[in-house]
Amino acid sequence: MRQPHPSLTGGAGGGSPFFNPEVETLSRSEIEALQLERLQKTVRHCMNNEFYRKKFDEAGITPDDIKTLADVRKLPFTTKQDLRETYPFGMACVPIRDCVRLHSSSGTTGNPTVILHTKKDLDEWANQVARNLWMVGLRPDDVFQNSSGYGMFTGGLGFQYGAEKLGMLTVPAAAGNSLRQIKFIKDFGTTAIHAIPSYVTRLYEVMQQEGVDPRRDTKLKVLAIGAEPHSEEQRKRIEEMMGVKAYNSFGMSEMCGPGVGFECPEQNGMHFWEDYYIVEIVNPLEPVPDGEIGELVLTTLCREAMPLLRYRTRDLTRVLGRTCPCGRNHVRIDRMRGRSDDMIVLRGVNIFPIQIEKILMKFPEVGTNYLITLVTEDNNDQMIVEVELNEGTDDFAKLQTLEKEIRHQLGDEILLKPIVKLVAKGSLPVSEGKAVRVVDKRKVYQ
Ligand code: AMP
Ligand code: ZN
């Protein structure tokens, strides 16, 4: 077996279940001691930047006020708005000449955001991704196909460098062109794929059309899926389709990209790496007890170019636990409910698309592609849920009963009954990037 490259920081030997054993197996108190040390260093480092100096002044604090880990709450929050207002380089804490890469995400409004990286930042990022992939059993003799967009989207380069750091043969297949993807999977003996969940289901559809059975015709053993919200039901479907485990991967460009959190083989929530981040769950802006849903707030602990303090992610989730049978005591975070920005408010009811997905996936007759459209008809706001059928059928009565049953179960879940339309397989749009699940046409009528 090929061994990890000697340059790997902390790379484990072939037999260890841990990529960075010294940090992955820390006890809770050891994790917290390390976090305090790194938080103090990070806050001092932020003093190199005018934006942070001003924020600290306004909050009446200095780096010396951070004496315990709980003092993180004295620090001001940061938001996407801050990144926009300081566009492009206003939040850099090192000279730009020390940066070697930037990623940018375009928002729907205003300036895009820019995230800068030093060489060390990139190395730490790759280490997080390698740690995740190692955790789910991948080793240097695996073949890793990254079927995710490259370029500014961090899922491409993030997984590329992480998989290379682990030492795998890495295929930068990028997203789309499913026939070519399938050829690569077969010809290169791909054992692991990373893709967004909506793309995996698309890939499987094409495999079916081509008569390729992933269990029989490929060497696949692991899927990493993430970058967009998906339900447990959707994950199960993906696992059944592809015949392998699909591990949830969380990341965001502001933190680095993928790598921030990942499921271990227990699949009981994602371990968020607390040697790299302080994880808080707040609602509205005060910490909530473990188990309660709130907004995920992250503080980076190792970033040089652009540390972010108490960054409000807008993602809603909860803490599931702080220990795990896998031997890692890094906090376990539940799958994301969605972003607060994605919440649909329809006739005063708050609904997350993921709630709708969860119900749809209970019906084996329907596929994984669905679209929620909000319209105004006769001054009344309505929700239309279109979902693709798995198989064509002429049995009109059967379709009607199915539509009725879906509508009924959705009504129980989201407290209002949408119009349900079963549509032919392949008739809804598929995007190569993150799936667009909601189209709001109400504004047109307002
Ligand atoms: P970006 O910075 O463009 O990669 O987007 C980051 C956002 O994608 C996060 O804030 C989440 O809203 C979403 N996201 C990333 N990974 C996941 C995941 N595993 N589950 C749900 N949402 C995710
Ligand atoms: Zn675990």
Side-chain angles (χ1 to χ4, degrees):
M1 184 175 110
R2 267 186 289 150
Q3 289 301 312
H5 191 271
S7 73
L8 293 181
T9 49
S16 168
F18 306 107
F19 188 70
N20 300 139
E22 64 291 353
V23 281
E24 285 178 68
T25 57
L26 291 177
S27 67
R28 285 302 312 167
S29 58
E30 287 166 333
I31 290 176
E32 285 166 18
L34 180 65
Q35 286 187 308
L36 175 59
E37 184 193 315
R38 291 187 174 176
L39 176 65
Q40 289 169 328
K41 193 170 159 205
T42 299
V43 173
R44 278 196 302 274
H45 182 50
C46 286
M47 290 296 282
N48 290 320
N49 169 283
E50 195 192 324
F51 165 87
Y52 276 119
R53 281 198 302 270
K54 207 166 145 234
K55 274 224 162 200
F56 292 166
D57 269 356
E58 282 164 12
I61 53 159
T62 71
D64 292 339
D65 292 317
I66 308 299
K67 295 194 171 67
T68 69
L69 201 52
D71 289 336
V72 69
R73 292 182 205 147
K74 293 181 180 164
L75 296 171
F77 289 101
T78 50
T79 62
K80 205 173 198 104
Q81 192 55 27
D82 292 327
L83 293 172
R84 290 209 175 103
E85 283 169 7
T86 57
Y87 174 88
F89 302 146
M91 282 176 79
C93 289
V94 298
I96 298 304
R97 67 165 183 278
D98 292 348
C99 298
V100 293
R101 193 190 312 159
L102 65 75
H103 281 271
S104 171
S105 72
S106 52
T108 40
T109 51
N111 275 336
T113 57
V114 163
I115 304 296
L116 294 156
H117 300 268
T118 64
K119 249 191 165 121
K120 179 167 177 292
D121 290 336
L122 291 183
D123 196 47
E124 298 287 5
W125 176 12
N127 186 61
Q128 291 168 69
V129 175
R131 187 191 284 180
N132 293 340
L133 298 175
W134 187 280
M135 176 163 72
V136 294
L138 296 176
R139 297 294 179 269
D141 47 6
D142 278 295
V143 178
F144 186 87
Q145 187 159 325
N146 191 15
S147 305
S148 127
Y150 278 67
M152 287 297 192
F153 176 55
T154 52
L157 292 178
F159 268 97
Q160 181 73 30
Y161 281 82
E164 286 176 7
K165 186 163 188 104
L166 196 156
M168 289 185 280
L169 175 60
T170 307
V171 185
N177 203 341
S178 303
L179 286 176
R180 197 182 56 153
Q181 300 271 358
I182 295 165
K183 182 170 169 54
F184 286 170
I185 294 170
K186 293 202 305 193
D187 295 352
F188 302 155
T190 299
T191 56
I193 295 180
H194 163 248
I196 55 175
S198 49
Y199 186 65
V200 179
T201 58
R202 172 77 196 132
L203 196 61
Y204 178 69
E205 270 171 28
V206 181
M207 281 183 171
Q208 275 186 313
Q209 283 159 19
E210 296 300 304
V212 175
D213 174 354
R215 288 181 173 80
R216 187 192 60 205
D217 304 323
T218 77
K219 293 190 177 154
L220 278 180
K221 61 179 199 195
V222 162
L223 291 176
I225 54 172
E228 65 183 11
H230 55 287
S231 55
E232 183 62 31
E233 289 72 12
Q234 163 104 297
R235 182 248 289 278
K236 287 205 182 101
R237 283 225 175 169
I238 288 176
E239 291 187 330
E240 274 158 29
M241 284 171 184
M242 303 297 273
V244 295
K245 291 267 176 217
Y247 296 98
N248 192 0
S249 161
F250 177 87
M252 64 190 321
S253 9
E254 293 93 321
M255 293 300 116
C256 57
V260 179
F262 206 89
E263 282 176 327
C264 71
E266 302 286 331
Q267 292 188 308
N268 56 359
M270 293 174 281
H271 284 291
F272 270 49
W273 299 118
E274 291 181 274
D275 52 326
Y276 283 107
Y277 308 96
I278 292 177
V279 180
E280 295 174 86
I281 309 283
V282 300
N283 189 10
L285 287 178
E286 288 301 318
V288 296
D290 286 2
E292 260 179 46
I293 303 272
E295 180 181 351
L296 174 70
V297 169
L298 296 171
T299 299
T300 64
L301 294 176
C302 294
R303 287 182 48 76
E304 289 182 335
M306 258 182 81
L308 284 175
L309 301 180
R310 305 194 82 198
Y311 185 72
R312 294 187 54 188
T313 65
R314 304 273 171 195
D315 290 309
L316 301 176
T317 184
R318 61 184 174 151
V319 169
L320 290 178
R322 292 177 191 269
T323 56
C324 181
C326 77
R328 295 170 183 86
N329 299 313
H330 293 251
V331 64
R332 286 185 291 112
I333 297 291
D334 202 1
R335 64 178 58 251
M336 303 296 141
R337 298 283 155 119
R339 299 175 66 84
S340 47
D341 319 347
D342 295 340
M343 191 174 74
I344 299 166
V345 184
L346 186 69
R347 290 187 247 139
V349 183
N350 299 347
I351 305 156
F352 284 100
I354 212 82
Q355 291 176 274
I356 292 171
E357 178 181 301
K358 195 175 85 179
I359 300 297
L360 294 177
M361 294 304 112
K362 286 188 181 168
F363 293 86
E365 297 90 340
V366 305
T368 49
N369 202 7
Y370 64 96
L371 184 68
I372 302 162
T373 310
L374 306 170
V375 294
T376 307
E377 278 168 4
D378 303 329
N379 289 327
N380 229 335
D381 287 344
Q382 284 279 9
M383 175 187 285
I384 302 169
V385 177
E386 290 172 283
V387 58
E388 289 182 4
L389 281 164
N390 261 335
E391 304 295 338
T393 170
D394 292 333
D395 190 340
F396 190 64
K398 203 174 138 199
L399 288 183
Q400 265 194 327
T401 318
L402 183 59
E403 275 182 357
K404 223 171 122 188
E405 184 51 24
I406 295 177
R407 180 173 143 85
H408 177 73
Q409 290 208 20
L410 282 174
D412 284 349
E413 173 70 29
I414 62 174
L415 306 179
L416 49 86
K417 286 197 168 137
I419 297 165
V420 174
K421 289 185 184 168
L422 297 170
V423 300
K425 192 173 177 172
S427 60
L428 292 176
V430 233
S431 66
E432 276 191 6
K434 302 188 188 205
V436 178
R437 299 297 192 193
V438 183
V439 177
D440 193 344
K441 294 188 176 165
R442 288 176 299 179
K443 292 182 188 93
V444 177
Y445 300 94
Q446 278 162 6

